[in-house]
Amino acid sequence: MHRLERNTVRVASVTVLTLLCATFAAGCGADTDPPPESVSGPTVQPADITSQAERLIGPKMPVGSTLECPDPLSAQVDATTTCSWAMPDGTSIGMTVTVTEITDGRASLNFANDDQVTPSPSS
């Protein structure tokens, strides 16, 4: 179940309110909350990560799967964050998001699902 996908999203500066637009997204949103202290400088916001992953990988996941990407991603090459797909049967699968390139204020992202499914807590 290992999948790699690549996409590009704009990065936002934490010091200046910047509109965030995913390159293939229809809409934009503004980020007014500062990221956690562990992330500084330009970031890719969780909503943008989730939007892109759902668009690219979501159709390949079981119907009813949901994705949670709780943390902003530092817009630096090789920076990573972890997201989690919740499956309808209660299992989950992790997904690593990695910045592969920054060009003209856009971060290229790779999405890679883990090889192993995590059993549901009630299993």
Side-chain angles (χ1 to χ4, degrees):
M1 189 169 220
H2 186 73
R3 292 184 177 91
L4 290 175
E5 298 288 341
R6 180 182 161 133
N7 202 14
T8 306
V9 294
R10 286 187 189 207
V11 296
S13 171
V14 294
T15 56
V16 178
L17 180 62
T18 304
L19 289 180
L20 305 173
C21 295
T23 53
F24 298 109
C28 296
D31 176 40
T32 57
D33 295 325
E37 290 181 26
S38 62
V39 177
S40 63
T43 61
V44 181
Q45 295 302 302
D48 291 317
I49 298 166
T50 301
S51 173
Q52 295 307 309
E54 286 175 340
R55 186 179 348 281
L56 291 170
I57 299 174
K60 301 171 189 172
M61 301 303 285
V63 173
S65 299
T66 58
L67 178 65
E68 181 179 338
C69 296
D71 301 317
L73 175 59
S74 178
Q76 297 177 15
V77 173
D78 295 330
T80 63
T81 192
T82 302
C83 301
S84 181
W85 289 97
M87 303 298 162
D89 66 0
T91 61
S92 64
I93 187 167
M95 181 178 71
T96 301
V97 182
T98 305
V99 176
T100 59
E101 181 180 1
I102 304 291
T103 306
D104 298 327
R106 294 181 187 270
S108 295
L109 304 177
N110 276 341
F111 300 94
N113 283 343
D114 293 348
D115 291 326
Q116 299 294 318
V117 173
T118 303
S120 68
S122 61
S123 297

mmCIF file of all heavy atoms in Angstrom, residues 4-48:
data_model
loop_
_atom_site.group_PDB
_atom_site.id
_atom_site.type_symbol
_atom_site.label_atom_id
_atom_site.label_comp_id
_atom_site.label_asym_id
_atom_site.label_seq_id
_atom_site.Cartn_x
_atom_site.Cartn_y
_atom_site.Cartn_z
ATOM 1 N N LEU A 4 3.705 6.873 -3.650
ATOM 2 C CA LEU A 4 4.414 8.141 -3.685
ATOM 3 C C LEU A 4 3.671 9.057 -4.630
ATOM 4 O O LEU A 4 3.298 8.661 -5.722
ATOM 5 C CB LEU A 4 5.846 7.971 -4.206
ATOM 6 C CG LEU A 4 6.821 7.253 -3.307
ATOM 7 C CD1 LEU A 4 8.139 7.070 -4.034
ATOM 8 C CD2 LEU A 4 7.047 8.033 -2.041
ATOM 9 N N GLU A 5 3.456 10.253 -4.235
ATOM 10 C CA GLU A 5 2.827 11.261 -5.074
ATOM 11 C C GLU A 5 3.596 12.550 -4.891
ATOM 12 O O GLU A 5 4.180 12.797 -3.856
ATOM 13 C CB GLU A 5 1.358 11.482 -4.681
ATOM 14 C CG GLU A 5 0.484 10.271 -4.841
ATOM 15 C CD GLU A 5 0.166 9.900 -6.269
ATOM 16 O OE1 GLU A 5 0.308 10.752 -7.171
ATOM 17 O OE2 GLU A 5 -0.224 8.743 -6.490
ATOM 18 N N ARG A 6 3.571 13.413 -5.887
ATOM 19 C CA ARG A 6 4.273 14.680 -5.799
ATOM 20 C C ARG A 6 3.328 15.791 -6.212
ATOM 21 O O ARG A 6 2.563 15.640 -7.146
ATOM 22 C CB ARG A 6 5.498 14.661 -6.705
ATOM 23 C CG ARG A 6 6.262 15.947 -6.666
ATOM 24 C CD ARG A 6 7.427 15.870 -7.608
ATOM 25 N NE ARG A 6 7.868 17.205 -7.889
ATOM 26 C CZ ARG A 6 9.116 17.578 -7.855
ATOM 27 N NH1 ARG A 6 10.052 16.723 -7.569
ATOM 28 N NH2 ARG A 6 9.451 18.806 -8.118
ATOM 29 N N ASN A 7 3.407 16.888 -5.515
ATOM 30 C CA ASN A 7 2.584 18.035 -5.837
ATOM 31 C C ASN A 7 3.285 19.285 -5.354
ATOM 32 O O ASN A 7 4.237 19.217 -4.589
ATOM 33 C CB ASN A 7 1.204 17.904 -5.196
ATOM 34 C CG ASN A 7 0.176 18.745 -5.912
ATOM 35 O OD1 ASN A 7 0.413 19.210 -7.011
ATOM 36 N ND2 ASN A 7 -0.952 18.932 -5.298
ATOM 37 N N THR A 8 2.807 20.432 -5.769
ATOM 38 C CA THR A 8 3.413 21.704 -5.412
ATOM 39 C C THR A 8 2.387 22.589 -4.729
ATOM 40 O O THR A 8 1.253 22.673 -5.181
ATOM 41 C CB THR A 8 3.926 22.420 -6.677
ATOM 42 O OG1 THR A 8 4.782 21.535 -7.381
ATOM 43 C CG2 THR A 8 4.671 23.677 -6.336
ATOM 44 N N VAL A 9 2.780 23.231 -3.625
ATOM 45 C CA VAL A 9 1.921 24.188 -2.936
ATOM 46 C C VAL A 9 2.733 25.424 -2.605
ATOM 47 O O VAL A 9 3.950 25.371 -2.497
ATOM 48 C CB VAL A 9 1.309 23.612 -1.630
ATOM 49 C CG1 VAL A 9 0.368 22.485 -1.940
ATOM 50 C CG2 VAL A 9 2.379 23.178 -0.671
ATOM 51 N N ARG A 10 2.070 26.544 -2.478
ATOM 52 C CA ARG A 10 2.743 27.770 -2.065
ATOM 53 C C ARG A 10 3.074 27.701 -0.598
ATOM 54 O O ARG A 10 2.406 27.035 0.169
ATOM 55 C CB ARG A 10 1.851 28.990 -2.298
ATOM 56 C CG ARG A 10 1.747 29.367 -3.725
ATOM 57 C CD ARG A 10 0.996 30.650 -3.847
ATOM 58 N NE ARG A 10 0.756 30.849 -5.257
ATOM 59 C CZ ARG A 10 0.598 32.007 -5.810
ATOM 60 N NH1 ARG A 10 0.601 33.086 -5.081
ATOM 61 N NH2 ARG A 10 0.400 32.104 -7.093
ATOM 62 N N VAL A 11 4.088 28.427 -0.206
ATOM 63 C CA VAL A 11 4.441 28.497 1.207
ATOM 64 C C VAL A 11 4.030 29.855 1.756
ATOM 65 O O VAL A 11 3.938 30.831 1.041
ATOM 66 C CB VAL A 11 5.955 28.259 1.424
ATOM 67 C CG1 VAL A 11 6.321 26.856 0.997
ATOM 68 C CG2 VAL A 11 6.788 29.266 0.679
ATOM 69 N N ALA A 12 3.777 29.902 3.055
ATOM 70 C CA ALA A 12 3.359 31.135 3.716
ATOM 71 C C ALA A 12 4.434 31.570 4.688
ATOM 72 O O ALA A 12 5.069 30.754 5.323
ATOM 73 C CB ALA A 12 2.058 30.912 4.474
ATOM 74 N N SER A 13 4.616 32.834 4.808
ATOM 75 C CA SER A 13 5.554 33.368 5.790
ATOM 76 C C SER A 13 4.823 33.534 7.105
ATOM 77 O O SER A 13 3.686 33.973 7.139
ATOM 78 C CB SER A 13 6.078 34.727 5.325
ATOM 79 O OG SER A 13 6.813 35.332 6.357
ATOM 80 N N VAL A 14 5.490 33.173 8.212
ATOM 81 C CA VAL A 14 4.848 33.325 9.510
ATOM 82 C C VAL A 14 4.892 34.767 9.988
ATOM 83 O O VAL A 14 4.181 35.123 10.908
ATOM 84 C CB VAL A 14 5.484 32.403 10.571
ATOM 85 C CG1 VAL A 14 5.232 30.966 10.243
ATOM 86 C CG2 VAL A 14 6.955 32.675 10.743
ATOM 87 N N THR A 15 5.709 35.601 9.370
ATOM 88 C CA THR A 15 5.796 36.977 9.813
ATOM 89 C C THR A 15 4.870 37.895 9.029
ATOM 90 O O THR A 15 4.560 38.982 9.476
ATOM 91 C CB THR A 15 7.240 37.498 9.687
ATOM 92 O OG1 THR A 15 7.688 37.339 8.349
ATOM 93 C CG2 THR A 15 8.162 36.743 10.616
ATOM 94 N N VAL A 16 4.443 37.477 7.880
ATOM 95 C CA VAL A 16 3.551 38.282 7.060
ATOM 96 C C VAL A 16 2.347 37.425 6.706
ATOM 97 O O VAL A 16 2.497 36.294 6.267
ATOM 98 C CB VAL A 16 4.258 38.729 5.749
ATOM 99 C CG1 VAL A 16 3.316 39.524 4.870
ATOM 100 C CG2 VAL A 16 5.504 39.527 6.058
ATOM 101 N N LEU A 17 1.139 37.978 6.896
ATOM 102 C CA LEU A 17 -0.069 37.249 6.539
ATOM 103 C C LEU A 17 -0.065 37.055 5.033
ATOM 104 O O LEU A 17 -0.032 38.006 4.266
ATOM 105 C CB LEU A 17 -1.304 38.031 6.980
ATOM 106 C CG LEU A 17 -2.648 37.395 6.661
ATOM 107 C CD1 LEU A 17 -2.754 36.052 7.390
ATOM 108 C CD2 LEU A 17 -3.764 38.306 7.083
ATOM 109 N N THR A 18 -0.068 35.806 4.604
ATOM 110 C CA THR A 18 0.027 35.483 3.195
ATOM 111 C C THR A 18 -1.122 34.583 2.813
ATOM 112 O O THR A 18 -1.456 33.664 3.541
ATOM 113 C CB THR A 18 1.354 34.749 2.910
ATOM 114 O OG1 THR A 18 2.426 35.568 3.367
ATOM 115 C CG2 THR A 18 1.534 34.463 1.440
ATOM 116 N N LEU A 19 -1.714 34.830 1.663
ATOM 117 C CA LEU A 19 -2.744 33.925 1.184
ATOM 118 C C LEU A 19 -2.096 32.634 0.731
ATOM 119 O O LEU A 19 -1.056 32.635 0.092
ATOM 120 C CB LEU A 19 -3.510 34.549 0.020
ATOM 121 C CG LEU A 19 -4.425 35.706 0.375
ATOM 122 C CD1 LEU A 19 -5.117 36.222 -0.873
ATOM 123 C CD2 LEU A 19 -5.463 35.269 1.396
ATOM 124 N N LEU A 20 -2.733 31.539 1.088
ATOM 125 C CA LEU A 20 -2.214 30.224 0.735
ATOM 126 C C LEU A 20 -3.054 29.661 -0.402
ATOM 127 O O LEU A 20 -4.249 29.541 -0.279
ATOM 128 C CB LEU A 20 -2.307 29.278 1.936
ATOM 129 C CG LEU A 20 -1.642 29.766 3.209
ATOM 130 C CD1 LEU A 20 -1.959 28.812 4.344
ATOM 131 C CD2 LEU A 20 -0.160 29.873 2.997
ATOM 132 N N CYS A 21 -2.415 29.322 -1.476
ATOM 133 C CA CYS A 21 -3.111 28.692 -2.587
ATOM 134 C C CYS A 21 -2.353 27.445 -2.995
ATOM 135 O O CYS A 21 -1.160 27.514 -3.245
ATOM 136 C CB CYS A 21 -3.171 29.602 -3.805
ATOM 137 S SG CYS A 21 -4.117 31.090 -3.591
ATOM 138 N N ALA A 22 -3.008 26.343 -3.040
ATOM 139 C CA ALA A 22 -2.382 25.149 -3.594
ATOM 140 C C ALA A 22 -2.412 25.309 -5.109
ATOM 141 O O ALA A 22 -3.322 25.908 -5.658
ATOM 142 C CB ALA A 22 -3.160 23.921 -3.167
ATOM 143 N N THR A 23 -1.435 24.804 -5.780
ATOM 144 C CA THR A 23 -1.347 25.032 -7.222
ATOM 145 C C THR A 23 -2.540 24.485 -7.966
ATOM 146 O O THR A 23 -2.905 25.014 -8.997
ATOM 147 C CB THR A 23 -0.057 24.424 -7.805
ATOM 148 O OG1 THR A 23 0.017 23.070 -7.425
ATOM 149 C CG2 THR A 23 1.152 25.183 -7.355
ATOM 150 N N PHE A 24 -3.155 23.438 -7.472
ATOM 151 C CA PHE A 24 -4.315 22.890 -8.152
ATOM 152 C C PHE A 24 -5.608 23.164 -7.399
ATOM 153 O O PHE A 24 -6.641 22.643 -7.764
ATOM 154 C CB PHE A 24 -4.149 21.386 -8.359
ATOM 155 C CG PHE A 24 -2.965 21.069 -9.218
ATOM 156 C CD1 PHE A 24 -1.834 20.499 -8.675
ATOM 157 C CD2 PHE A 24 -2.972 21.370 -10.564
ATOM 158 C CE1 PHE A 24 -0.742 20.207 -9.458
ATOM 159 C CE2 PHE A 24 -1.874 21.084 -11.353
ATOM 160 C CZ PHE A 24 -0.759 20.500 -10.813
ATOM 161 N N ALA A 25 -5.546 23.954 -6.344
ATOM 162 C CA ALA A 25 -6.734 24.217 -5.533
ATOM 163 C C ALA A 25 -7.571 25.317 -6.156
ATOM 164 O O ALA A 25 -7.068 26.214 -6.801
ATOM 165 C CB ALA A 25 -6.336 24.613 -4.121
ATOM 166 N N ALA A 26 -8.854 25.232 -5.932
ATOM 167 C CA ALA A 26 -9.758 26.232 -6.478
ATOM 168 C C ALA A 26 -9.782 27.485 -5.621
ATOM 169 O O ALA A 26 -10.026 28.574 -6.128
ATOM 170 C CB ALA A 26 -11.164 25.651 -6.576
ATOM 171 N N GLY A 27 -9.559 27.361 -4.322
ATOM 172 C CA GLY A 27 -9.690 28.511 -3.440
ATOM 173 C C GLY A 27 -8.446 28.782 -2.642
ATOM 174 O O GLY A 27 -7.488 28.040 -2.682
ATOM 175 N N CYS A 28 -8.489 29.897 -1.927
ATOM 176 C CA CYS A 28 -7.371 30.297 -1.074
ATOM 177 C C CYS A 28 -7.892 30.503 0.334
ATOM 178 O O CYS A 28 -9.067 30.731 0.537
ATOM 179 C CB CYS A 28 -6.773 31.624 -1.549
ATOM 180 S SG CYS A 28 -6.046 31.539 -3.170
ATOM 181 N N GLY A 29 -6.985 30.502 1.281
ATOM 182 C CA GLY A 29 -7.342 30.795 2.660
ATOM 183 C C GLY A 29 -6.208 31.562 3.294
ATOM 184 O O GLY A 29 -5.103 31.569 2.787
ATOM 185 N N ALA A 30 -6.474 32.235 4.380
ATOM 186 C CA ALA A 30 -5.427 32.999 5.068
ATOM 187 C C ALA A 30 -5.127 32.351 6.402
ATOM 188 O O ALA A 30 -6.019 31.854 7.081
ATOM 189 C CB ALA A 30 -5.889 34.433 5.274
ATOM 190 N N ASP A 31 -3.866 32.361 6.774
ATOM 191 C CA ASP A 31 -3.452 31.796 8.055
ATOM 192 C C ASP A 31 -3.153 32.934 9.010
ATOM 193 O O ASP A 31 -2.285 33.744 8.744
ATOM 194 C CB ASP A 31 -2.212 30.923 7.864
ATOM 195 C CG ASP A 31 -1.694 30.403 9.187
ATOM 196 O OD1 ASP A 31 -2.508 30.042 10.040
ATOM 197 O OD2 ASP A 31 -0.470 30.360 9.347
ATOM 198 N N THR A 32 -3.890 32.990 10.115
ATOM 199 C CA THR A 32 -3.643 34.058 11.086
ATOM 200 C C THR A 32 -3.016 33.530 12.362
ATOM 201 O O THR A 32 -2.581 34.300 13.188
ATOM 202 C CB THR A 32 -4.962 34.782 11.444
ATOM 203 O OG1 THR A 32 -5.885 33.824 11.942
ATOM 204 C CG2 THR A 32 -5.534 35.491 10.234
ATOM 205 N N ASP A 33 -2.997 32.212 12.557
ATOM 206 C CA ASP A 33 -2.407 31.633 13.756
ATOM 207 C C ASP A 33 -0.940 31.320 13.505
ATOM 208 O O ASP A 33 -0.592 30.753 12.481
ATOM 209 C CB ASP A 33 -3.122 30.335 14.139
ATOM 210 C CG ASP A 33 -4.562 30.585 14.530
ATOM 211 O OD1 ASP A 33 -4.835 31.642 15.123
ATOM 212 O OD2 ASP A 33 -5.406 29.724 14.239
ATOM 213 N N PRO A 34 -0.070 31.670 14.445
ATOM 214 C CA PRO A 34 1.334 31.313 14.263
ATOM 215 C C PRO A 34 1.507 29.808 14.405
ATOM 216 O O PRO A 34 0.745 29.154 15.114
ATOM 217 C CB PRO A 34 2.050 32.058 15.392
ATOM 218 C CG PRO A 34 1.005 32.274 16.416
ATOM 219 C CD PRO A 34 -0.307 32.391 15.693
ATOM 220 N N PRO A 35 2.500 29.236 13.720
ATOM 221 C CA PRO A 35 2.740 27.805 13.848
ATOM 222 C C PRO A 35 3.334 27.491 15.218
ATOM 223 O O PRO A 35 3.757 28.401 15.929
ATOM 224 C CB PRO A 35 3.749 27.512 12.739
ATOM 225 C CG PRO A 35 4.457 28.814 12.537
ATOM 226 C CD PRO A 35 3.439 29.886 12.827
ATOM 227 N N PRO A 36 3.385 26.208 15.584
ATOM 228 C CA PRO A 36 4.018 25.848 16.850
ATOM 229 C C PRO A 36 5.468 26.323 16.873
ATOM 230 O O PRO A 36 6.072 26.551 15.836
ATOM 231 C CB PRO A 36 3.964 24.313 16.852
ATOM 232 C CG PRO A 36 2.939 23.947 15.842
ATOM 233 C CD PRO A 36 2.886 25.063 14.861
ATOM 234 N N GLU A 37 6.026 26.468 18.076
ATOM 235 C CA GLU A 37 7.385 26.977 18.214
ATOM 236 C C GLU A 37 8.411 26.137 17.469
ATOM 237 O O GLU A 37 9.455 26.633 17.099
ATOM 238 C CB GLU A 37 7.758 27.049 19.699
ATOM 239 C CG GLU A 37 6.998 28.128 20.431
ATOM 240 C CD GLU A 37 7.389 28.202 21.881
ATOM 241 O OE1 GLU A 37 8.519 27.815 22.211
ATOM 242 O OE2 GLU A 37 6.566 28.658 22.678
ATOM 243 N N SER A 38 8.129 24.865 17.216
ATOM 244 C CA SER A 38 9.093 24.000 16.555
ATOM 245 C C SER A 38 9.232 24.318 15.067
ATOM 246 O O SER A 38 10.151 23.849 14.428
ATOM 247 C CB SER A 38 8.702 22.535 16.733
ATOM 248 O OG SER A 38 7.447 22.303 16.136
ATOM 249 N N VAL A 39 8.305 25.082 14.506
ATOM 250 C CA VAL A 39 8.368 25.444 13.091
ATOM 251 C C VAL A 39 8.539 26.953 13.007
ATOM 252 O O VAL A 39 7.762 27.705 13.564
ATOM 253 C CB VAL A 39 7.073 25.030 12.347
ATOM 254 C CG1 VAL A 39 7.126 25.474 10.903
ATOM 255 C CG2 VAL A 39 6.867 23.532 12.447
ATOM 256 N N SER A 40 9.582 27.386 12.323
ATOM 257 C CA SER A 40 9.760 28.819 12.136
ATOM 258 C C SER A 40 10.074 29.086 10.679
ATOM 259 O O SER A 40 10.505 28.200 9.954
ATOM 260 C CB SER A 40 10.891 29.340 13.028
ATOM 261 O OG SER A 40 12.110 28.734 12.662
ATOM 262 N N GLY A 41 9.851 30.300 10.249
ATOM 263 C CA GLY A 41 10.073 30.652 8.853
ATOM 264 C C GLY A 41 8.876 30.265 8.006
ATOM 265 O O GLY A 41 7.799 29.965 8.515
ATOM 266 N N PRO A 42 9.050 30.277 6.695
ATOM 267 C CA PRO A 42 7.936 29.929 5.795
ATOM 268 C C PRO A 42 7.441 28.508 6.057
ATOM 269 O O PRO A 42 8.232 27.616 6.370
ATOM 270 C CB PRO A 42 8.559 30.042 4.408
ATOM 271 C CG PRO A 42 9.778 30.874 4.578
ATOM 272 C CD PRO A 42 10.259 30.626 5.976
ATOM 273 N N THR A 43 6.140 28.323 5.933
ATOM 274 C CA THR A 43 5.540 27.020 6.192
ATOM 275 C C THR A 43 4.501 26.661 5.143
ATOM 276 O O THR A 43 3.968 27.521 4.456
ATOM 277 C CB THR A 43 4.858 26.977 7.571
ATOM 278 O OG1 THR A 43 3.825 27.963 7.595
ATOM 279 C CG2 THR A 43 5.831 27.217 8.696
ATOM 280 N N VAL A 44 4.214 25.378 5.045
ATOM 281 C CA VAL A 44 3.065 24.870 4.308
ATOM 282 C C VAL A 44 2.067 24.467 5.388
ATOM 283 O O VAL A 44 2.390 23.685 6.281
ATOM 284 C CB VAL A 44 3.437 23.656 3.431
ATOM 285 C CG1 VAL A 44 2.215 23.167 2.669
ATOM 286 C CG2 VAL A 44 4.579 24.002 2.474
ATOM 287 N N GLN A 45 0.887 25.030 5.336
ATOM 288 C CA GLN A 45 -0.100 24.820 6.381
ATOM 289 C C GLN A 45 -0.798 23.465 6.253
ATOM 290 O O GLN A 45 -0.932 22.927 5.143
ATOM 291 C CB GLN A 45 -1.126 25.949 6.364
ATOM 292 C CG GLN A 45 -0.525 27.302 6.719
ATOM 293 C CD GLN A 45 0.131 27.276 8.093
ATOM 294 O OE1 GLN A 45 -0.515 26.966 9.089
ATOM 295 N NE2 GLN A 45 1.416 27.574 8.146
ATOM 296 N N PRO A 46 -1.241 22.894 7.389
ATOM 297 C CA PRO A 46 -1.895 21.587 7.369
ATOM 298 C C PRO A 46 -3.061 21.496 6.377
ATOM 299 O O PRO A 46 -3.218 20.468 5.714
ATOM 300 C CB PRO A 46 -2.388 21.413 8.803
ATOM 301 C CG PRO A 46 -1.426 22.209 9.621
ATOM 302 C CD PRO A 46 -1.103 23.415 8.758
ATOM 303 N N ALA A 47 -3.858 22.541 6.271
ATOM 304 C CA ALA A 47 -4.998 22.503 5.344
ATOM 305 C C ALA A 47 -4.537 22.344 3.897
ATOM 306 O O ALA A 47 -5.188 21.657 3.101
ATOM 307 C CB ALA A 47 -5.835 23.773 5.488
ATOM 308 N N ASP A 48 -3.413 22.958 3.544
ATOM 309 C CA ASP A 48 -2.894 22.823 2.185
ATOM 310 C C ASP A 48 -2.324 21.432 1.941
ATOM 311 O O ASP A 48 -2.496 20.847 0.875
ATOM 312 C CB ASP A 48 -1.826 23.883 1.904
ATOM 313 C CG ASP A 48 -2.423 25.278 1.824
ATOM 314 O OD1 ASP A 48 -3.488 25.432 1.198
ATOM 315 O OD2 ASP A 48 -1.830 26.195 2.403
#
